[in-house]
Amino acid sequence: MIELGLEPKPTPLALLLLGKDADPDSEKGVECPGSLPEASDPGLVARALAAKARLGERVFILGHHYQRNEVIAFADVTGDSFKLAQQAAAHPNAEYIVFCGVHFMAESADILTADNQQVVLPDMAAGCSMADMAAINQVEACWDVLKAAGIADVTVPVTYMNSTAAIKSFTGRNGGTVCTSSNAKQSLQWAFAQGEKVLFLPDQHLGRNTAVLELGLSLDDCVLFNPLLPNGGLTVEQLRSAKMILWRGHCSVHARFTTKAINDVRERVPGVQVIVHPECTFEVVSEADVVGSTEAIIAAISASPPGSAWAVGTELNLVKRLAQDFPEQEIVFLDHSVCFCATMNRIDLPHLVWALESLADGTLVNQITVDPETSRWAKVALDRMLALPGPSGLKD
Ligand code: 13P
Ligand code: SF4
């Protein structure tokens, strides 16, 4: 039996970027009541099926595309962050929403679901290192810097879905919105119709890629705000002349893809098309043939004719599944130095079985809750996003 965790913890990388010492417990998982089935238990699939059947329509399971196959097999719906947020809101009759994804996604589901619905994250250690790179006190301090520079009134805060509920709430309270990788263009167009500048949190790459490659801003219109430096490391003049103030955050999985890997695969695989997620760097996204959210990547590959060759720059579970689901295409991983998202991978079949059996036995475990005040303003921001025109890819 393995002990389970209760609280999400910042990843070691995030702690490093926030200037804190690494948490010695973070690699071990965190404590929690209850016991987890062994991964070697041959009855896991049967147990998951039985627990799901006992719960019937009381449970709805959401699975992000980066989840393992063993977990995806039990999802009622799979999707990118945008689709899963919509789906969470679209099932008001389910008592339990079991979110097979990461913490910020489950928080958003809690905000978008009714008070009588409970959201469960099968492993509380499933966080996101990018979301951990923007703490609410840092964002409030940044806003004070913008106020002191006299630009807060004309700046619209936009946060990527991959951020805490507190930051979504901040954007709601300050006239801003949320975006996902599938609607960043529409969110930024909306934001620039409300104000002159955007403070984009926490993914510098998605912000820069969308502003420059989709909206036609120049790289000189963008500045990088480093929360660890006084005034973000920027002068008042730099802040006043910028259009996009990008938070210094990134995805540690996607930032590893390189233009060298693109050049190498183009030499290795004749006729290959390179398709990447917009969390990749500006250089990589500029070089790619197609860019889009996880859902858009799947759609592009599934719509391509047999014999097409694709090099995919996103998380490995999804790329492996694409290769398996589309055997008539040649699907390769863009860069072999990049691997699974460690936190997405925390959700495995033993955790799912444990969560479902606990719920079926009447014990609510690993509930994700957002306090009412945070939730109120975060919902304002999320509803603004959901009201925008539908998602689109970045470039194709
Ligand atoms: P999508 O919304 O494209 O699924 O991306 C979520 C994510 O975390 C990518 O790293
Ligand atoms: Fe976060 Fe990156 Fe993992 Fe997505 S792939 S959940 S952004 S760490």
Side-chain angles (χ1 to χ4, degrees):
M1 298 292 188
I2 302 162
E3 292 300 302
L4 300 177
L6 262 185
E7 293 293 327
K9 292 197 168 193
T11 58
L13 176 68
L15 286 164
L16 196 68
L17 288 162
L18 291 170
K20 297 180 185 166
D21 290 335
D23 179 346
D25 288 335
S26 61
E27 290 305 310
K28 290 187 244 159
V30 275
E31 304 295 313
C32 174
S35 58
L36 190 68
E38 295 291 349
S40 57
D41 180 344
L44 283 179
V45 170
R47 284 173 66 174
L49 284 170
K52 200 174 175 214
R54 277 164 70 201
L55 285 160
E57 303 214 330
R58 293 170 63 207
V59 71
F60 192 73
I61 304 179
L62 299 172
H64 186 265
H65 291 308
Y66 292 164
Q67 292 290 297
R68 302 157 180 260
N69 278 354
E70 68 194 36
V71 169
I72 286 289
F74 293 95
D76 293 305
V77 70
T78 59
D80 62 6
S81 311
F82 182 81
K83 183 174 164 190
L84 294 179
Q86 278 183 323
Q87 286 290 318
H91 289 85
N93 297 327
E95 198 177 322
Y96 304 118
I97 302 286
V98 173
F99 211 120
C100 299
V102 287
H103 193 266
F104 69 80
M105 296 178 179
E107 274 190 335
S108 299
D110 182 54
I111 293 161
L112 291 167
T113 48
D115 290 348
N116 62 345
Q117 296 183 282
Q118 273 95 39
V119 176
V120 168
L121 183 66
D123 185 346
M124 287 297 204
C128 164
S129 57
M130 178 201 285
D132 292 342
M133 288 177 196
I136 185 61
N137 61 324
Q138 294 176 314
V139 174
E140 298 279 8
C142 165
W143 200 243
D144 287 342
V145 169
L146 303 195
K147 278 183 188 159
I151 58 169
D153 287 352
V154 293
T155 303
V156 179
V158 177
T159 191
Y160 188 25
M161 188 67 117
N162 302 26
S163 56
T164 62
I167 288 169
K168 293 185 179 83
S169 186
F170 168 89
T171 65
R173 247 185 300 122
N174 290 287
T177 188
V178 180
C179 75
T180 72
S181 58
S182 63
N183 62 12
K185 179 182 175 185
Q186 292 89 331
S187 292
L188 283 188
Q189 282 172 330
W190 175 88
F192 279 114
Q194 320 302 310
E196 292 169 21
K197 300 173 192 289
V198 166
L199 169 64
F200 193 88
L201 305 152
D203 185 13
Q204 58 169 299
H205 300 303
L206 178 65
R208 186 181 296 109
N209 291 333
T210 313
V212 177
L213 300 174
E214 284 294 297
L215 267 56
L217 270 63
S218 74
L219 286 172
D220 289 340
D221 290 325
C222 306
V223 291
L224 195 58
F225 189 98
N226 182 344
L228 303 180
L229 296 177
N231 292 323
L234 297 166
T235 64
V236 169
E237 195 36 57
Q238 284 174 313
L239 283 167
R240 286 185 183 155
S241 58
K243 288 202 169 69
M244 279 293 279
I245 302 165
L246 302 167
W247 191 263
R248 190 170 172 272
H250 66 270
C251 166
S252 36
V253 176
H254 289 91
R256 293 178 67 96
F257 292 105
T258 60
T259 52
K260 177 177 181 315
I262 296 182
N263 295 337
D264 288 352
V265 83
R266 282 188 175 139
E267 275 184 22
R268 220 171 53 237
V269 183
V272 72
Q273 294 186 78
V274 175
I275 185 164
V276 301
H277 194 276
E279 287 172 14
C280 294
T281 64
F282 180 74
E283 293 72 24
V284 166
V285 168
S286 302
E287 277 291 311
D289 300 300
V290 187
V291 183
S293 76
T294 54
E295 189 79 9
I297 290 173
I298 297 167
I301 292 177
S302 70
S304 66
S308 308
W310 293 95
V312 188
T314 193
E315 199 269 350
L316 191 51
N317 276 318
L318 173 55
V319 182
K320 284 169 73 173
R321 190 173 312 116
L322 284 164
Q324 185 187 292
D325 291 350
F326 298 100
E328 69 286 4
Q329 329 271 36
E330 183 177 358
I331 294 174
V332 299
F333 194 46
L334 176 57
D335 189 333
H336 293 290
S337 72
V338 182
C339 57
F340 302 104
C341 168
T343 47
M344 282 278 183
N345 245 12
R346 291 273 191 173
I347 313 285
D348 56 11
L349 192 51
H351 282 88
L352 182 59
V353 167
W354 171 77
L356 292 175
E357 287 182 345
S358 302
L359 295 176
D361 290 342
T363 309
L364 177 57
V365 289
N366 284 13
Q367 184 184 7
I368 301 296
T369 50
V370 178
D371 71 83
E373 183 59 13
T374 304
S375 190
R376 182 162 79 93
W377 285 110
K379 186 159 183 333
V380 168
L382 282 164
D383 284 343
R384 281 185 188 133
M385 174 190 82
L386 291 168
L388 292 171
S392 68
L394 252 186
K395 88 173 183 186
D396 55 22

